[in-house]
Amino acid sequence: MEFDYLVIGGGSAGSVLAGRLSEDVNCRVGLVEAGPADKSVLIHCPAGLAILAKNGQANWGFETVPQRGLNGRRGYQPRGKVLGGSSSVNAMIYIRGQREDYDHWADAGNPGWAYSDVLPYFLRSEHNERGASAWHATGGPLNVMDLRSPNRHTPAFIQAGVQAGFPLNADFNGATQEGIGHYQVTHRNGERCSAAKAYLAPASGRPNLEVITGAHALRVVLEGGRATGVEVLRGGQRVMLKARREVLLAAGALQSPQLLMLSGIGPVDELKRNGIAIQHALEGVGRNLHDHVDVVQVVDAPHQKDFFGLSISGAASVWRALGQWRKQRTGMLTTNFAEAGAFLRTAPDEVTPDVQLHFVIGKLIDHGRKTVFGHGYSCHVCLLQPKSRGRLTLRSADPMAPPQIDPNFLADDDDTARLVRGFKLMRRILEQPAMAALGGRELAASAAARSDSEIEAFIRGHADTIYHPVGTCRMGADADAVVDSRLRVRGVPGLRVVDASIMPRIVSGNTNAPTIMIAEKAADMIREDARSAS
């Protein structure tokens, strides 16, 4: 079980790395994933995400520690546990973020990560069914398209945004992000196009690629200070996997830092507290955890049966739609639920949008885990650039224990003030004539919140993540950075981290497309460094 490159984590970044690196027939690549293969129809049928959100079939289902800023509540932290990772269970929205996000990375001491540097990698990854342009490409592995069968009420939300005075935006990944419009999605032929489908499936017949599922990584093995392999648990047996060139951690923002610490790489006090022998002191591991904190307004619209809902008529509609999806890959089951959205500035002096909306064609309560009867719709508002920072630590030295996750939501007063303003903008849109015509009624929990203090109280009682944790293996040039600008773990030869944990600051939008971009760029850097070393 010896490879040139050993990739740990078969999610969005890991799938890209394995697919790209195995293009070299002289390079042997191993991919290790704790979860199963992505065979479930719930993964491939886009609307299946409504069920995936309720169970642990393909989901680690983590929770945070109690959050002071959320009235002591524990937050929900779903992460994909399956080939494709979170790209196999997410809402499939294709968003890159703002030019300024990446320019900030470069300005913070990370050469090669400005927007002009990363745009070619977004384009390399993309096949956009709208066609090629200055902002988009065709021919890449990741299929991006408009929804085949959008809900007939979704345009009302967009019309309401225009009525509220916001600009229409037909392409959030184009010249400007600001405005309201439909989201493009990572679908192909009416099915989810996960990173595994885009990058691993075409590579599945390559003799130089081995995909190992059901294998839980226990620790990175160091010899003489260099990473030389990984110990995994598979079928109850401990197995040693060797890496001749590099170990590539792609386990995500919650588990890549966990695995580093379990391997003795991390903050000295944290390792000592858990009785782990120190292999390499690296104080930044697990720090800088941040996420898009989000709150949802839910509207009951019992007479609008085209919205998803639990009722006799709703069940009948889904049953009919199942046949349509099976035969034609069209119909209501091709939805990603969050069909439209907006990027808005909460104050006139904001240079770029600081909040994002997701309009959902169903009543979304507790991340969809709570079953509610009837039909209606929801709207999220999330904070794009939170100032609050948290930390990921170990619960214990047991590699099978979940990590201890503390995003420290709403610790900074500025985050709270912006989210209050964002909530008011969202409500303003939902109160416009186009939405009022649907005859909905806001649920009492949020409807009672009218003043700023009442809205803040509602937010603290109901906000949570919108599933975008980043930053725990931060890229940078300072002493607290975990990886350098080529994603090499500082002070540990043969080891890189390639996933959303390397982001110095979160991108302004959904994080899946940027994570795929990071892995595309990393694959080039890995090959370049191998050529330089030979």
Side-chain angles (χ1 to χ4, degrees):
M1 300 291 279
E2 190 168 342
F3 306 91
D4 291 300
Y5 296 104
L6 188 56
V7 182
I8 306 303
S12 298
S15 294
V16 176
L17 288 172
R20 288 304 192 195
L21 294 175
S22 64
E23 290 173 346
D24 179 356
V25 296
N26 297 313
C27 177
R28 182 164 164 75
V29 179
L31 175 66
V32 176
E33 167 57 41
D38 54 335
K39 295 180 179 179
S40 172
V41 68
L42 296 176
I43 292 173
H44 301 295
C45 177
L49 74 93
I51 299 175
L52 292 174
K54 293 178 180 291
N55 61 44
Q57 178 178 335
N59 182 0
W60 288 95
F62 296 137
E63 288 190 335
T64 71
V65 300
Q67 295 294 286
R68 289 183 61 187
L70 304 183
N71 295 342
R73 293 182 295 115
R74 292 180 181 270
Y76 180 45
Q77 294 275 307
R79 295 284 89 196
K81 187 182 181 182
V82 63
L83 282 181
S86 294
S87 75
S88 288
V89 299
N90 69 359
M92 298 156 280
I93 296 170
Y94 184 80
I95 292 291
R96 297 172 182 170
Q98 299 167 4
R99 171 187 294 271
E100 292 81 0
D101 297 332
Y102 304 101
D103 290 345
H104 178 273
W105 292 6
D107 292 343
N110 298 293
W113 289 92
Y115 182 73
S116 59
D117 300 312
V118 303
L119 179 59
Y121 291 101
F122 280 116
L123 298 178
R124 178 185 294 184
S125 70
E126 182 189 26
H127 176 78
N128 198 304
E129 293 192 8
R130 291 184 182 178
S133 68
W135 308 105
H136 295 287
T138 58
L142 185 68
N143 205 76
V144 179
M145 61 181 289
D146 300 326
L147 279 171
R148 276 191 163 185
S149 306
N151 187 278
R152 74 181 185 93
H153 294 308
T154 299
F157 171 76
I158 298 171
Q159 183 184 358
V162 174
Q163 290 171 344
F166 301 110
L168 186 66
N169 192 336
D171 184 4
F172 293 127
N173 300 296
T176 182
Q177 188 189 62
E178 187 171 10
I180 191 163
H182 290 278
Y183 285 123
Q184 282 203 293
V185 291
T186 50
H187 285 188
R188 180 189 293 134
N189 189 33
E191 296 183 6
R192 176 191 295 272
C193 183
S194 67
K197 232 175 183 179
Y199 288 88
L200 282 185
S204 60
R206 295 174 187 164
N208 62 327
L209 173 62
E210 184 166 353
V211 178
I212 305 167
T213 56
H216 190 114
L218 303 177
R219 66 185 177 101
V220 177
V221 177
L222 302 181
E223 297 179 8
R226 179 181 181 85
T228 59
V230 174
E231 185 180 20
V232 305
L233 185 67
R234 191 185 192 203
Q237 300 294 317
R238 288 177 176 257
V239 180
M240 189 68 69
L241 307 178
K242 301 289 286 183
R244 288 185 288 264
R245 295 183 184 175
E246 293 190 41
V247 174
L248 308 171
L249 298 189
L254 303 183
Q255 287 159 290
S256 283
Q258 180 190 24
L259 188 54
L260 285 175
M261 287 185 279
L262 290 169
S263 308
I265 303 168
V268 170
D269 289 348
E270 179 67 11
L271 300 180
K272 286 181 177 179
R273 183 175 67 84
N274 288 282
I276 298 172
I278 299 168
Q279 300 292 331
H280 178 67
L282 202 54
E283 294 301 312
V285 173
R287 294 180 179 173
N288 193 46
L289 173 61
H290 56 296
D291 195 350
H292 286 142
V293 64
D294 172 90
V295 70
V296 185
Q297 180 177 329
V298 183
V299 177
D300 190 39
H303 303 298
Q304 302 297 343
K305 304 299 184 184
D306 288 333
F307 286 124
F308 272 81
L310 190 59
S311 67
I312 294 174
S313 62
S317 295
V318 170
W319 180 254
R320 290 191 298 270
L322 181 59
Q324 184 179 357
W325 183 79
R326 280 178 162 174
K327 293 176 182 178
Q328 303 169 354
R329 293 299 194 262
T330 59
M332 66 186 296
L333 295 189
T334 63
T335 187
N336 71 322
F337 292 97
E339 295 189 352
F343 292 88
L344 308 175
R345 291 177 293 140
T346 64
D349 58 349
E350 293 295 331
V351 177
T352 59
D354 57 334
V355 295
Q356 179 182 5
L357 308 187
H358 294 81
F359 177 71
V360 179
I361 58 168
K363 296 195 293 185
L364 193 70
I365 297 178
D366 191 19
H367 289 263
R369 293 188 297 171
K370 184 175 180 180
T371 300
V372 292
F373 291 93
H375 297 257
Y377 56 89
S378 311
C379 195
H380 294 255
V381 57
C382 77
L383 190 62
L384 288 176
Q385 287 299 330
K387 294 181 179 178
S388 301
R389 293 294 185 270
R391 189 171 182 181
L392 184 132
T393 53
L394 296 178
R395 197 175 298 255
S396 74
D398 179 3
M400 306 307 290
Q404 187 160 279
I405 305 162
D406 183 9
N408 202 20
F409 285 135
L410 300 182
D412 192 291
D413 290 342
D414 184 69
D415 290 355
T416 307
R418 286 176 187 271
L419 200 52
V420 168
R421 296 198 301 266
F423 185 91
K424 290 160 73 174
L425 291 181
M426 174 177 67
R427 174 178 275 163
R428 183 170 126 202
I429 292 173
L430 296 183
E431 289 178 343
Q432 294 301 311
M435 293 302 294
L438 299 180
R441 184 176 62 184
E442 184 178 354
L443 295 194
S446 62
R450 308 311 296 187
S451 68
D452 285 6
S453 61
E454 290 168 342
I455 292 172
E456 178 181 338
F458 172 76
I459 289 170
R460 293 193 184 278
H462 295 83
D464 205 344
T465 176
I466 200 164
Y467 326 114
H468 301 155
V470 306
T472 48
C473 296
R474 178 175 63 84
M475 173 174 60
D478 58 286
D480 283 337
V482 177
V483 299
D484 64 14
S485 62
R486 299 187 74 79
L487 309 189
R488 298 170 296 201
V489 175
R490 296 166 61 84
V492 185
L495 183 60
R496 292 188 211 232
V497 179
V498 183
D499 54 35
S501 69
I502 67 94
M503 293 185 185
R505 192 178 74 171
I506 197 166
V507 296
S508 301
N510 310 75
T511 51
N512 189 243
T515 300
I516 289 171
M517 175 279 293
I518 288 168
E520 283 273 17
K521 183 171 171 61
D524 264 8
M525 293 190 294
I526 291 164
R527 288 183 288 227
E528 290 166 3
D529 290 350
R531 286 193 295 268
S532 298
S534 61

